[in-house]
Amino acid sequence: MTTVFAYAAPSASGELGPFSYEPRNLRNDDVEIKILYCGVCHTDLHKCRNHWGGSQYPLVPGHEIVGKVARVGTSVTKYKLGDVAAVGCLVDSCGNCRSCKDGLENYCENAPTLTYDADDRKDGKRLYGGYSESITVRESFVLRVPSGLDVKSAAPLLCAGITMWSPLRNWKVNSKSKVAVAGLGGLGHMGIKLAKGLGAHVTLLSRSPGKATDGRRLGADDVLITTDEAAVARASNRFDIILDTVPYDHDVNPYLSLLRRDGNLVLLGLIGNIQATPLNTGPMLSARRSVSGSGIGGIQETQELLDFCAAKKILPDVEMIAIQEINDAYERLIKGDVKYRFVIDIESLSKVRG
Ligand code: NAP
Ligand code: ZN
């Protein structure tokens, strides 16, 4: 394949549309994947619209990638042609720092190489994401999709799934834990399913009363509507951990009081500065509560997640779209109108190729 077809954002304000590029040469330790499905993360939207500054265009988003191995380099041993494989948010890291040696490449002290809107570590070539026909990635950053996982709906595990799994594992959530998940979107719905899979008692914290039934259907034992101040006040000292997936600036102080002593509010939304309401240290000091963050996950724990989901039959709830629907999908994402992850059927790109 000499030219790869994709969909790209041309600028922060422009709609995504057809784009083609020359892929990099296959290196000895590379795997080329023909992409079948790619999930749509809220991060894709943040990146395309330059919410954090620094986005470079044309920008091909997509870091929830599932496909089939189409080519392998001469030293590749783990994958062969036709294997179902996946790529998440990372495609490389330094390999030498403490985090990389601990299998936490996501926290590489020399900055991990992200799947898109980044430059290749070796040759500096621009990297494009999964809204594309194919991707070429180092073997050690490719994941194996176990045969028990449905290929069509597995893609969101690669970002939404691992972003929830990593803190659940790091803070040792188990059948005695009381977990709350704030925001029922792509990340949130996986948080509910995975925390339930680990045996925890799970509560959904949502601003949307209309999502209560779905929250329970997805496995939540309880639902707390965050706009109901009286109900929030009654729920103080309840949770060991809150996984907060809200993507925009919001007041986190009410959440802190919901934590038990030693509880932890884990911020996952890529908010930047919390400005709306300053953080009050009172609830932290009065019950040794913490505020922390967590960013995606390492390669080893992502494989662990895929294997766990295959064994437990846990899958994302997806709405399949064609690439031509992506701009509408972004508008729906902003409105919270998705149940609960859009996945692009990459076959639809063939209409662009003609
Ligand atoms: P999403 O599907 O759009 O879901 C976000 C949910 O947050 C919404 O469904 C909504 O749920 C709630 N929400 C509350 N206030 C909102 C507001 N003002 N606007 C929109 N939604 C609001 O997003 P996602 O893909 O799960 O991503 C969530 C955030 O995590 C994004 O900022 C994304 O960039 C970030 N992220 C972080 C990591 C990481 O490594 N930490 C990885 C992936 C994504 P309710 O209606 O139930 O309240
Ligand atoms: Zn993501």
Side-chain angles (χ1 to χ4, degrees), residues 1-168:
M1 189 184 293
T2 49
T3 303
V4 175
F5 282 85
Y7 247 50
S11 64
S13 56
E15 293 210 322
L16 279 83
F19 169 69
S20 59
Y21 62 93
E22 300 301 314
R24 68 174 165 81
N25 291 333
L26 193 82
R27 299 184 194 123
N28 290 347
D29 60 349
D30 274 343
V31 173
E32 182 188 303
I33 296 171
K34 176 186 185 306
I35 302 175
L36 297 173
Y37 302 102
C38 183
V40 177
C41 180
H42 209 110
T43 298
D44 300 347
L45 186 153
H46 287 311
K47 275 283 189 184
C48 287
R49 303 203 173 166
N50 202 19
H51 285 165
W52 312 315
S55 292
Q56 285 181 34
Y57 303 92
L59 187 156
V60 178
H63 57 204
E64 294 183 338
I65 299 166
V66 170
K68 281 204 171 159
V69 173
R71 276 202 304 162
V72 292
T74 51
S75 65
V76 168
T77 55
K78 286 198 297 184
Y79 297 96
K80 58 179 188 335
L81 297 198
D83 283 355
V84 183
V87 177
C89 306
L90 302 172
V91 291
D92 212 349
S93 71
C94 84
N96 294 316
C97 72
R98 204 167 57 102
S99 293
C100 286
K101 290 202 164 131
D102 287 345
L104 293 169
E105 303 85 352
N106 48 320
Y107 300 126
C108 173
E109 290 164 21
N110 297 301
T113 307
L114 300 176
T115 304
Y116 66 82
D117 195 25
D119 297 321
D120 182 78
R121 237 179 164 84
K122 290 211 172 78
D123 63 19
K125 243 185 143 174
R126 200 70 193 142
L127 296 178
Y128 299 113
Y131 299 9
S132 169
E133 289 177 307
S134 77
I135 190 163
T136 299
V137 177
R138 268 180 71 187
E139 173 182 30
S140 47
F141 284 79
V142 175
L143 287 307
R144 180 169 295 287
V145 178
S147 57
L149 271 186
D150 174 37
V151 176
K152 279 190 165 177
S153 41
L157 297 176
L158 277 304
C159 174
I162 184 60
T163 300
M164 305 309 276
W165 180 249
S166 185
L168 287 169

